[in-house]
């Protein structure tokens, strides 16, 4: 019998056959316990550092963002529109880089996203983008997967807040 290794990919992102969903792979009959232990510890550090990194950070600091653009409504709308238009492509770029094992490209993409999120004053998502950037530099695949999933969740929570501000600023 084979021992399955659980998957940390979010539902809908997993492209494996239905019988393989939720499984990253299988442990061979004979494997090195030290290698497996290292992998588990690495992933545990990612989970722990994620909660340490962004324990109570807000999704969006609207007051700081508005102050940064000197309460210029047109500029706010432009920045929000640029971010929302680019974020889909940026996330797809990160997914593709991770899938292909191109950690340098993943690190660059995460760094770019981190800068955008800093400009928007979205500290929680920024922290996860930074965590992803650092994990990519270390080529820590599972940490990258976890960090990218956390970043995507943050962006899903950020978008309605940005859209609400955009709508208010446009009127």
């Amino acid at each position: 019998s084979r021992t399955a290794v659980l998957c940390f990919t979010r539902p809908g992102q997993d492209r494996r056959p239905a019988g393989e969903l939720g499984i990253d792979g299988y442990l061979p009959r004979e494997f090195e316990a030290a290698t497996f232990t290292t992998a588990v510890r690495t992933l545990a550090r990612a989970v722990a550092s994620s909660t340490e990194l962004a324990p109570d950070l807000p999704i969006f600091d609207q007051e700081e963002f508005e102050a940064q653009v000197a309460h210029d409504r047109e500029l706010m709308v432009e920045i929000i529109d640029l971010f929302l238009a680019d974020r889909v492509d940026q996330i797809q770029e990160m997914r593709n880089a991770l899938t292909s094992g191109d950690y340098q490209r993943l690190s660059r993409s995460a760094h770019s996203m981190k800068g955008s999120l800093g400009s928007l004053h979205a500290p929680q998502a920024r922290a996860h983008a930074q965590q992803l950037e650092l994990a990519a530099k270390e080529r820590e695949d599972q940490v990258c997967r976890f960090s990218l999933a956390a970043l995507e969740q943050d962006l899903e929570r950020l978008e309605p807040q940005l859209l609400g501000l955009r709508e208010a600023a446009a009127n």
Side-chain angles (χ1 to χ4, degrees):
S1 72
R2 301 183 308 172
T3 303
V5 178
L6 297 179
C7 177
F8 293 95
T9 306
R10 293 179 58 211
Q13 293 178 338
D14 202 333
R15 304 284 186 247
R16 288 177 281 237
E20 295 290 311
L21 291 179
I23 299 173
D24 274 340
Y26 295 91
L27 295 176
R29 278 186 181 254
E30 297 197 19
F31 69 97
E32 294 182 26
T35 302
F36 179 71
T37 302
T38 300
V40 170
R41 285 185 180 150
T42 300
L43 185 57
R45 275 197 316 272
V47 172
S49 69
S50 175
T51 56
E52 292 169 8
L53 190 61
D56 294 321
L57 294 176
I59 291 295
F60 180 55
D61 191 334
Q62 182 175 332
E63 290 177 14
E64 288 292 323
F65 177 60
E66 289 179 1
Q68 176 180 310
V69 297
H71 301 277
D72 182 326
R73 291 174 175 255
E74 288 180 23
L75 183 56
M76 275 192 283
V77 169
E78 185 177 339
I79 291 171
I80 290 169
D81 285 348
L82 284 171
F83 176 77
L84 293 176
D86 289 346
R87 89 168 181 96
V88 174
D89 291 338
Q90 287 180 306
I91 290 294
Q92 190 59 49
E93 172 71 13
M94 287 187 255
R95 285 180 190 152
N96 292 343
L98 184 57
T99 299
S100 67
D102 189 343
Y103 295 103
Q104 185 175 9
R105 189 172 97 205
L106 177 59
S107 178
R108 281 194 311 267
S109 296
H111 179 79
S112 177
M113 176 67 79
K114 178 181 75 173
S116 298
L117 292 164
S119 296
L120 283 170
H121 293 274
Q124 184 169 329
R126 184 191 179 284
H128 284 126
Q130 180 176 11
Q131 182 181 27
L132 177 58
E133 177 187 9
L134 296 174
K137 286 181 180 177
E138 296 296 321
R139 304 177 64 82
E140 296 177 322
D141 187 71
Q142 288 298 336
V143 178
C144 288
R145 291 178 189 282
F146 175 83
S147 300
L148 182 56
L151 175 59
E152 289 183 75
Q153 287 178 342
D154 293 340
L155 295 177
E156 287 174 14
R157 294 175 54 202
L158 175 62
E159 185 172 344
Q161 293 184 38
L162 292 176
L163 290 172
L165 177 59
R166 186 202 181 287
E167 184 177 319
N171 294 326

